[in-house]
Amino acid sequence: MSAASVEQPFDDDEPFSLTALADEIMERHPGYRVEIIGGHLLVTPSPDAPHARALTKLMRPFIAAGLDDDETEVLQNVGLWLPTGAEDYAIPDLVVVDADIDDHYIENNAYDPVCFRLVLEVTSGNWKDDLKTKVAAYAEAEVPVYVVVDRKHQRLHVLAEPVGGAYQYHRPHAPGELVTLPDSIGAKVTLDVDQILKAGQKKAS
């Protein structure tokens, strides 16, 4: 999911907390997702039905591969603590994490990136955040695999091998392709690009 960056004024007379501001926005606007990346707030409205539908389709192959049992879990909307700033965190749409994730809690409902094997985003309005801002942030956090379902351009991106704050492997996939994800996630998972992208589109009336 993607969002618009929100610039906020700083008051030199009082300590400034982006986390407190994020909490206030979420309290005033229930259903909105607020993330802090690179010292900027990203505020995202509630997802539409096709976005949710795509996530449902995506969860199935991960669960079928056994990644939601024993050593790993498949979860939605779990906070990922980021090394890109003192208060930085993201909330990916879908994640594959180690089963001991509860032992890696840091703060503000966010967890140490060491227990994340994969993060996945389904784009919404501002797709550039998922294809640029979050690419750098997740690579800096050394998340092994990042998948982006780009609904605007009808592509599925797979990024892997984070080194020095950048992913060394990045390949976009078009409808009609079957994509097998890297073994580092813990099981063989193959995604049907056409099926996922169609799920993310509005149904014809």
Side-chain angles (χ1 to χ4, degrees):
M1 186 183 299
S2 49
S5 178
V6 178
E7 301 286 351
Q8 297 294 337
F10 289 82
D11 187 339
D12 293 334
D13 297 329
E14 297 181 7
F16 186 82
S17 169
L18 283 171
T19 301
L21 184 55
D23 291 342
E24 183 178 344
I25 292 171
M26 288 188 288
E27 184 176 341
R28 291 186 179 185
H29 303 280
Y32 277 61
R33 180 183 302 181
V34 184
E35 302 165 289
I36 304 172
I37 301 180
H40 296 278
L41 287 171
L42 300 181
V43 182
T44 310
S46 299
D48 58 13
H51 182 282
R53 194 176 295 122
L55 279 178
T56 299
K57 293 286 187 185
L58 280 158
M59 288 190 73
R60 292 171 182 166
F62 289 100
I63 293 172
L67 288 172
D68 200 41
D69 299 303
D70 300 325
E71 296 183 0
T72 55
E73 293 182 276
V74 181
L75 305 172
Q76 292 188 28
N77 303 323
V78 174
L80 166 64
W81 196 256
L82 295 170
T84 50
E87 299 180 89
D88 282 13
Y89 68 91
I91 308 175
D93 289 321
L94 185 70
V95 299
V96 175
V97 295
D98 293 339
D100 66 349
I101 184 173
D102 294 318
D103 298 333
H104 296 280
Y105 180 83
I106 296 182
E107 61 180 271
N108 199 32
N109 290 330
Y111 297 82
D112 193 319
V114 71
C115 63
F116 288 74
R117 299 189 183 194
L118 171 144
V119 296
L120 184 148
E121 301 280 7
V122 177
T123 63
S124 291
N126 190 352
W127 45 271
K128 292 181 181 178
D129 286 320
D130 292 330
L131 292 174
K132 185 176 180 182
T133 305
K134 290 187 176 182
V135 169
Y138 292 149
E140 187 70 25
E142 297 185 349
V143 177
V145 181
Y146 176 32
V147 176
V148 187
V149 179
D150 181 0
R151 294 195 290 167
K152 179 176 176 62
H153 302 100
Q154 292 294 288
R155 292 289 185 271
L156 186 146
H157 296 260
V158 177
L159 300 95
E161 302 172 17
V163 177
Y167 283 107
Q168 303 304 300
Y169 175 89
H170 177 193
R171 183 179 170 189
H173 298 273
E177 292 188 62
L178 295 177
V179 181
T180 300
L181 299 178
D183 294 338
S184 59
I185 65 174
K188 182 178 179 180
V189 175
T190 300
L191 303 179
D192 185 325
V193 178
D194 192 55
Q195 181 187 61
I196 293 166
L197 290 173
K198 282 183 177 178
Q201 297 173 357
K202 291 183 179 180
K203 291 183 176 180
S205 55

